[in-house]
Amino acid sequence: MNTAFDAEAFILESVIHSVHEREPDRIDEYAGYYGQSVIYGSFMITCLFTPSLLNIWTPKLLLVISSFCFAAFPFGFLFINSYYHYFSTVVLGIGKAFFNLGCTTYLTSHSTRKSIESNVSLQWAIGCGSLIVGSMILATMTWFSGDVPEGVVGNVTEIVVKSDTRTFNDLEIRLLSLVLIVVSILAIIVVFLLPSEDVENCIESSKKNGSFKKDLRLTFSTSISPKMLQIVPLCMLCGFNASCFMSIIPTSMHFNKANSNMLYIPAIYSLAAGTGEVLMGLIIAEASKRIQGFGLKPTMIIGTIALFVYSMLIQASTPIEAPMKPTSEKALFFEQSYPLIFVIALIAGVSDCCFNGVRSVICALVMPSRRAQSFSVSRMYQAAACVIMFFFSPVIPLYVYTVGLPILPVLSTFVFCKVVDSTRRMERKMTTETIVEQENTEKV
């Protein structure tokens, strides 16, 4: 599921823009940005209801339903138009909400307190391996379509460079659609084969005994609870950072006319981002086994440093107008190249892995009696940040991202450290009370 979603996120606005240039009446030029805003808007609203669904459906069933929702999106690339595009983005947003809650609750039912930090990071690393698979798909698609003889292409708009910017022809778009449809079908099969039984001493059982209405009220109260509000800056940071590095940055690279002949930007960027995500996930998973609490404060600090570094590289190498429209404006200090693009995406992947890892861990720990609700509400706030970012992307210049975004992790880190300390005090208190209760029981 992530392979199809991530591969499309990197190039969606560029693909839509290319189609609009050929057929202006077919779809709006910024439908890629607006479509992603709709995805996260649908996702945000659905997050209010998904915890209540756990009383009716199991986490595995949520994953099964979400796999079908994800599969609906690539079909739109076969016949791009506004109606199906926005319909499929709404469906995808619902599926993404089901997937995220289903995945996190499935993970807690297959993790103990000792294994949760490493399991979250390991799961994130494996999931982000989809970026590497997606890079192979994008590279193969670009190589194949770029080498197709003109007679085979027929009436399709001829290849790759138009108005001095990187564009996508109809053949590339259809190839991408067909490959991602196949990948989505494989995802459905994999989800059906997942084991259902919880592990022994799991953090939280997948079997619920509550009611839909009661849990719905609980979700609303969780969304404004003091403990949850303390991690809202972190959730918003995850959303702003993800939308920026997954879509806005690669789009600005395509809209930079100096990069018009660099056809493999999507493949290189996806490969590097996936490598950064996977490597950092594996490092956190291994370090968490050896160093207590590594998946919390140290990981948050690493993510903050990584965000600062890649923001500076983007600011130095990208024209100011590139996120908004194709531009021939010069970069501030130096032009982009494949090695630089690889480094930027690698570091961005590291930051994304760190922020999402600590968010998942703290949500599993900060409200033990409301884990499903805290997971879902955290994603809701994250989605709200994505909606804001994508909705205003057509009019936001580069420096707003590269200067404004690094300010947020400073605030988030300060608040996050306070939450971690209070959570540890709560855990120590609960452990002490459990020991005392056991001792009293033994005496009796």
Side-chain angles (χ1 to χ4, degrees), residues 151 191 385:
V191 170

Side-chain angles (χ1 to χ4, degrees), residues 424-441:
R424 284 176 174 165
R425 287 193 297 269
M426 177 187 69
E427 288 184 326
R428 285 196 296 268
K429 181 180 178 181
M430 292 174 62
T431 302
T432 303
E433 290 176 351
T434 302
I435 294 172
V436 170
E437 184 178 341
Q438 289 176 347
E439 291 176 347
N440 291 335
T441 303

Side-chain angles (χ1 to χ4, degrees), residues 1 46 50 53-54 56-73 88 90-103 184 187-194:
M1 288 187 279
T46 308
T50 45
L53 293 175
L54 287 173
I56 307 171
W57 299 333
T58 64
K60 181 178 176 179
L61 183 56
L62 284 176
L63 292 174
V64 170
I65 296 172
S66 69
S67 67
F68 283 98
C69 294
F70 272 76
F73 191 64
S88 63
V90 172
V91 173
L92 180 56
I94 294 171
K96 190 168 173 60
F98 284 4
F99 171 76
N100 283 318
L101 183 64
C103 186
S184 297
I188 293 172
I189 296 171
V190 169
V191 170
F192 268 106
L193 296 176
L194 286 174

Side-chain angles (χ1 to χ4, degrees), residues 131-189:
L131 295 172
I132 298 175
V133 177
S135 73
M136 297 176 184
I137 293 173
L138 292 169
T140 303
M141 178 196 72
T142 303
W143 173 82
F144 181 78
S145 61
D147 289 342
V148 172
E150 186 176 348
V152 176
V153 177
N155 293 327
V156 175
T157 303
E158 200 161 330
I159 293 171
V160 294
V161 180
K162 180 176 181 180
S163 303
D164 298 324
T165 60
R166 168 68 163 104
T167 62
F168 293 83
N169 61 52
D170 292 346
L171 179 62
E172 284 183 290
I173 296 170
R174 288 168 185 161
L175 282 174
L176 176 66
S177 177
L178 291 171
V179 171
L180 295 183
I181 287 171
V182 172
V183 171
S184 297
I185 293 171
L186 292 175
I188 293 172
I189 296 171

Side-chain angles (χ1 to χ4, degrees), residues 227 230-231 362 366 415-424:
K227 288 185 177 180
Q230 289 181 75
I231 62 173
I362 200 63
V366 72
V415 177
F416 176 76
C417 289
K418 293 182 65 177
V419 175
V420 171
D421 291 339
S422 64
T423 301
R424 284 176 174 165

Side-chain angles (χ1 to χ4, degrees), residues 149-320:
E150 186 176 348
V152 176
V153 177
N155 293 327
V156 175
T157 303
E158 200 161 330
I159 293 171
V160 294
V161 180
K162 180 176 181 180
S163 303
D164 298 324
T165 60
R166 168 68 163 104
T167 62
F168 293 83
N169 61 52
D170 292 346
L171 179 62
E172 284 183 290
I173 296 170
R174 288 168 185 161
L175 282 174
L176 176 66
S177 177
L178 291 171
V179 171
L180 295 183
I181 287 171
V182 172
V183 171
S184 297
I185 293 171
L186 292 175
I188 293 172
I189 296 171
V190 169
V191 170
F192 268 106
L193 296 176
L194 286 174
S196 301
E197 293 298 321
D198 298 348
V199 299
E200 188 177 354
N201 297 322
C202 63
I203 285 183
E204 187 167 12
S205 172
S206 61
K207 298 178 178 62
K208 307 294 181 184
N209 298 314
S211 68
F212 185 92
K213 290 183 179 180
K214 181 180 178 181
D215 277 10
L216 185 59
R217 289 195 297 269
L218 195 61
T219 301
F220 278 100
S221 64
T222 301
S223 65
I224 57 174
S225 67
K227 288 185 177 180
M228 180 55 62
L229 292 177
Q230 289 181 75
I231 62 173
V232 166
L234 173 60
C235 299
M236 299 290 283
L237 172 62
C238 289
F240 286 133
N241 186 53
S243 55
C244 189
F245 111 88
M246 286 290 289
S247 183
I248 294 168
I249 291 175
T251 297
S252 70
M253 291 175 177
H254 290 134
F255 282 174
N256 183 359
K257 292 185 178 182
N259 297 342
S260 60
N261 292 319
M262 298 169 65
L263 308 185
Y264 289 91
I265 286 178
I268 297 295
Y269 193 94
S270 181
L271 175 63
T275 302
E277 297 265 19
V278 171
L279 287 179
M280 194 64 218
L282 294 175
I283 290 171
I284 296 172
E286 187 60 30
S288 296
K289 296 176 183 177
R290 303 172 184 272
I291 305 172
Q292 186 178 6
F294 184 87
L296 292 169
K297 288 182 182 180
T299 299
M300 184 67 187
I301 293 171
I302 293 171
T304 300
I305 294 171
L307 190 149
F308 269 88
V309 173
Y310 91 73
S311 294
M312 288 190 295
L313 291 175
I314 287 292
Q315 179 66 45
S317 64
T318 308
I320 299 298

